Structures are given as C-alpha cells and as structure tokens.
Amino acid sequence: MGLKIGVLGAGMFATEFIPLFQAHPLVDSVALAEINPERLSEIAGKFGISETYASLEALCRSDVHAIAIFTQRHLHGPHALQSLRAGKHTYCAVPMAHSLEDVRAIVEEVTSSGLIYMTGETSYYYPSTIYCRDRFAKGDFGDFVYGEAQYLHDMSHGFYDAFQHSGGSEWKQVAGFPPMYYPTHSVSMLLSVTGAKATHVSCLGYRDRHADGVFREDSNLWRNAFSNETALVRTSDGGMARLNEFRRVGWSGKNSVYLSMFGTLGSFEEHADSSIWTSIVPDDIQPLDDLLRTAPSIAHDGEDALPAGLRRDFHSGVSRVHPKERLPAGFENMPNGHFGSHQFLVDDFVQSVTQMKLPPNHAWNAAKYCVPGIVAHESALRDGEQLPVPDFGEPGAQWEHLKL
Ligand SMILES: NC(=O)c1ccc[n+]([C@@H]2O[C@H](COP(=O)([O-])OP(=O)(O)OC[C@H]3O[C@@H](n4cnc5c(N)ncnc54)[C@H](O)[C@@H]3O)[C@@H](O)[C@H]2O)c1
C-alpha cells in the first residue's frame, strides 16, 4: 500500500509540490487542508483533489500517514508539533521554527515517537552545494577554513506579493520577520557540506529606513527593525563563516542564494554570475558555469500567476551535478524548481517514510540549519555580543540513513 499525504496550506509554494507528491509512484493519494475556503476549493479543483479539510485539526484526525506543511513561515513550529503529536510523519517548508523552545520540542517529539521529520531545505540540492559536498567528501578542500553564504532577496523581488497573498491588511506584521529567523538557505549550504555545527555566533543588524514601514518596531509581531543581518560564526571543526541574510538590498544575481568555501587545499567561489574551483596547485582555476547551470524547468501550469521576482527561483530544472537518475522516471516531464531541488526533496521524504530511514535533512540537521539564526538575531539585538549556539544533538544510533 502506498502513502497518503496531507498537504497543509494551499498557497503559492504548496502548488509547486502537490503535483510531485501526486506523481510519486510510492504515493497513493494526496489530501489538502486550507483555512481559506475559496483557496481550498480552487486548488483542490486545479489538482483534482477530492479529499479536503478546513483545518489542520481535521487533517490530523484523518488517516493520512504524513503531513507536508506549507503554511506561512512564522507558523511552522506550532504546526509541525501539532502534526507530530497527532502521530503523522512531517515534512515542513523552511524554517523549522523561530524559537529555541519549538526546535527543542520538535527534536524531543521525533526522538520519543520515532516519526520522520524533514525540513524542506531547497539549498541542500542547489548545484553549488552538491558540487562542494562531493568534493569535500573526497578531501579536495582539505580542512574547512572559512565560508561565506548568503540569501539576498530584496522585498521588491516578489516578497510584497508573497506576504500580501495570505496576510490581508495585516501583512506587514509577518513581512517584518527578522531576516536571521530565516537563515536556513545560507547556513545549510555550508553545514551540509562540512557536517559541522555552529558553536558561537555574533551578528549585527541594519536598521531599515524604507518608507514601506515593514521593518519597524511598531509594525511587526517581533518588534523587528532590521531588514539586513550579518553574522560571524565559529564552527565545531574550528572553521569560520560569514552569513548574510538581506531583505533590503540593491542586487540581482543569477540566483538569490550564494556559497563560497575556502579549505586548506581547495576552494569554491560563487559570484553573481559565475563560479569557479581553485586549489593550492598553482594556476588551477576551473570555471564551473557549464557544469552548474540549471536547465529551464518544464513549463508550470499557470506559471504567469507567480510574481516576476519569484518566477526564476521557483522554476528551474536540474544541472549536470544533480543525481537525477535516482528520481522516479515519471518526474522527468514534471515541473521542478529552486535550482532542481523540488523533485529531490519530495523523493527524499516519500522514500524516508516508506523505508523508515532518515532523510538527509532530518530533524537534527534541521535544527543545525535553523538555530544559529535564532541566536544570531538575539546577538544583533545585543549589538553583536558573541553568544553560544545550543546543540540539539544527533539522531540515535538505532536510525538507519536513507541511501540515495
Ligand atoms: N526556497 C524555499 O524553500 C521556499 C520558497 C518559497 C516559500 N517557502 C516557504 O513556504 C511557505 C509557504 O509560502 P507561500 O508563499 O506558499 O505562503 P502562502 O501565504 O501563499 O500560503 C500559505 C497558506 O497556508 C494557509 N494556512 C495557514 N494556516 C493554516 C492552517 N492552520 N491550516 C490550513 N491552512 C493554513 C494559508 O491560508 C495560506 O493559503 C513559507 O513558510 C515559506 O517560507 C520556501
């Protein structure tokens, strides 16, 4: 018998994943839960979903095996906990949560229940991250020395539309989410390559001045005035990293997420429009643009509905470094997005629940990607005071890991 997946939230991002869950050969059916009744019936109709629910509570009472959460970013911690406590395996779009308490509770819940929790980290399957992970595993970097990772996404590049889509007249309350509460696209690139953890962080914030008033103490739920935050991190392998999470920045690159890594033997550098490998061997400079370029995605149904600033990130196929042969054959002519990552994330989750083996982005790694940012924002509020990053441990020895 195949899996029954319940998708929570029928917003812009969920609609990129529903058809992939439906097309996966190990999935029997997909149900949909959404609190906005018009949106529920529109999206259920569009994807031919007959089983619908008006709330998370109702979805939790249903017989779905797993819940895939695509609600707004500030709701993820409580929604994931509710799903796990109802006995459902849980996939959640990033971030895992924005409080240490919720992260701790999710890790404890997964530990005691034996359920699968997976964070939907798109950066994990970006070409640059895959390339660096492979070369790091082969020893080509030597020891990790220093990394730079950044998620540069100006508010005007689709974020106004994205936050207004569900935020109504109160949209600014959520749009002013502290940038470091959404750190996982950058943190995961570095830490999923090295396997290390952040141990200490110091962060500074840029006090926003824009007339839209999104990042102001009196306009959002977190009393947050920072639109850009920069953190310096110490990692458990003795390395150093600089993270930028910018939401107000005059910048356009081929991507919005960037990685550079320097090791004692070799280095990878990614710029706005190109990337290279270089090493300790004199004159070794290898251009990587052809290798890492992603193909256009198969056209998405209704893709013009997406704000222009989001379309390029949402819709992109695989590069030559993606191990696409491991994907179900039926995915080949399906849409993909975020630099080839969507199809891999769906397959990871479905395979892990079916085999009861941990996916790469399991709860303990999700904590590793998320917690440095939560502490970084606290540091920014204290004008850069260096703070320790709590360690939420590793999965127990009883767990097998998915072989991909
Ligand atoms: N690269 C990435 O990983 C990436 C990219 C885009 C979005 N995201 C994440 O995906 C998530 C969703 O983004 P989006 O743009 O689709 O948001 P959205 O606002 O378009 O959709 C969220 C939907 O969840 C529904 N919802 C909220 N609470 C609910 C509940 N209790 N029960 C049922 N439905 C509920 C809302 O009504 C809304 O329709 C965000 O958290 C965002 O961070 C990640």
Side-chain angles (χ1 to χ4, degrees):
M1 193 189 69
L3 289 183
K4 187 165 173 184
I5 306 267
V7 168
L8 183 75
M12 292 198 273
F13 202 42
T15 56
E16 305 290 325
F17 285 79
I18 290 169
L20 294 174
F21 279 120
Q22 289 176 316
H24 199 288
L26 297 172
V27 174
D28 268 356
S29 66
V30 172
L32 182 64
E34 165 61 57
I35 45 172
N36 176 324
E38 293 81 39
R39 200 171 286 175
L40 179 61
S41 86
E42 181 203 329
I43 301 301
K46 178 172 175 182
F47 293 105
I49 297 174
S50 54
E51 187 173 333
T52 59
Y53 297 94
S55 66
L56 172 55
E57 290 69 25
L59 182 62
C60 284
R61 285 193 299 271
S62 77
D63 64 351
V64 297
H65 301 105
I67 294 181
I69 300 172
F70 294 94
T71 53
Q72 295 94 311
R73 58 197 66 196
H74 64 295
L75 303 173
H76 292 173
H79 284 174
L81 280 167
Q82 209 174 326
S83 167
L84 289 166
R85 285 172 182 156
K88 310 297 185 187
H89 301 291
T90 301
Y91 174 102
C92 188
V94 300
M96 180 185 206
H98 63 278
S99 76
L100 296 179
E101 293 69 33
D102 281 354
V103 172
R104 181 173 294 111
I106 291 170
V107 171
E108 284 174 2
E109 202 58 46
V110 170
T111 304
S112 62
S113 65
L115 291 164
I116 300 285
Y117 172 94
M118 173 175 156
T119 191
E121 182 48 70
T122 45
S123 290
Y124 184 86
Y125 284 116
Y126 275 20
S128 47
T129 320
I130 296 173
Y131 178 83
C132 288
R133 207 159 38 234
D134 289 350
R135 292 207 76 156
F136 190 84
K138 287 186 195 132
D140 295 348
F141 276 93
D143 292 333
F144 172 67
V145 176
Y146 169 73
E148 293 176 353
Q150 46 242 344
Y151 174 39
L152 311 179
H153 193 148
D154 189 71
M155 282 299 294
S156 68
H157 292 184
F159 266 153
Y160 291 122
D161 305 89
F163 284 111
Q164 286 165 11
H165 188 232
S166 299
S169 57
E170 305 293 304
W171 67 275
K172 286 185 192 172
Q173 290 199 356
V174 176
F177 201 58
M180 278 291 168
Y181 281 1
Y182 196 96
T184 69
H185 293 332
S186 57
V187 178
S188 67
M189 288 184 117
L190 281 167
L191 299 187
S192 78
V193 170
T194 63
K197 292 182 180 184
T199 61
H200 294 81
V201 63
S202 164
C203 183
L204 296 176
Y206 167 86
R207 192 168 272 274
D208 199 56
R209 301 171 198 163
H210 197 283
D212 69 12
V214 166
F215 297 97
R216 271 198 345 221
E217 271 109 347
D218 60 357
S219 68
N220 62 66
L221 295 174
W222 302 275
R223 303 187 54 72
N224 173 46
F226 298 139
S227 52
N228 300 318
E229 294 185 302
T230 291
L232 195 59
V233 171
R234 163 66 73 196
T235 51
S236 56
D237 51 6
M240 305 157 284
R242 190 271 290 135
L243 308 171
N244 286 341
E245 289 292 338
F246 290 175
R247 309 293 174 257
R248 195 80 80 189
V249 57
W251 193 89
S252 272
K254 65 179 164 54
N255 186 359
S256 54
V257 183
Y258 280 84
L259 171 69
S260 287
M261 292 186 61
F262 302 82
T264 51
L265 297 180
S267 301
F268 170 86
E269 271 202 287
E270 190 170 31
H271 302 288
D273 61 351
S274 68
S275 22
I276 57 150
W277 168 265
T278 179
S279 77
I280 199 161
V281 177
D283 302 324
D284 178 18
I285 300 176
Q286 303 171 26
L288 298 172
D289 294 342
D290 288 343
L291 185 69
L292 303 187
R293 183 175 300 115
T294 51
S297 167
I298 304 291
H300 290 232
D301 187 19
E303 74 178 37
D304 292 341
L306 269 179
L310 294 180
R311 209 170 298 146
R312 189 187 45 177
D313 271 3
F314 269 49
H315 297 163
S316 44
V318 291
S319 68
R320 280 162 52 202
V321 295
H322 281 93
K324 67 173 185 177
E325 56 290 341
R326 61 155 263 215
L327 293 172
F331 276 11
E332 191 154 355
N333 293 316
M334 298 284 300
N336 204 343
H338 283 94
F339 299 88
S341 61
H342 294 184
Q343 296 190 354
F344 289 93
L345 294 174
V346 166
D347 188 52
D348 281 359
F349 184 63
V350 171
Q351 296 281 0
S352 71
V353 171
T354 307
Q355 299 180 38
M356 279 311 292
K357 293 180 181 171
L358 287 179
N361 294 307
H362 52 62
W364 296 267
N365 279 345
K368 210 171 12 169
Y369 304 158
C370 183
V371 167
I374 298 173
V375 180
H377 184 62
E378 180 61 30
S379 166
L381 292 172
R382 301 195 209 175
D383 205 23
E385 182 182 335
Q386 192 188 60
L387 298 173
V389 178
D391 182 351
F392 288 94
E394 297 293 333
Q398 77 281 13
W399 277 108
E400 275 188 68
H401 293 257
L402 208 55
K403 287 196 179 51
L404 296 165

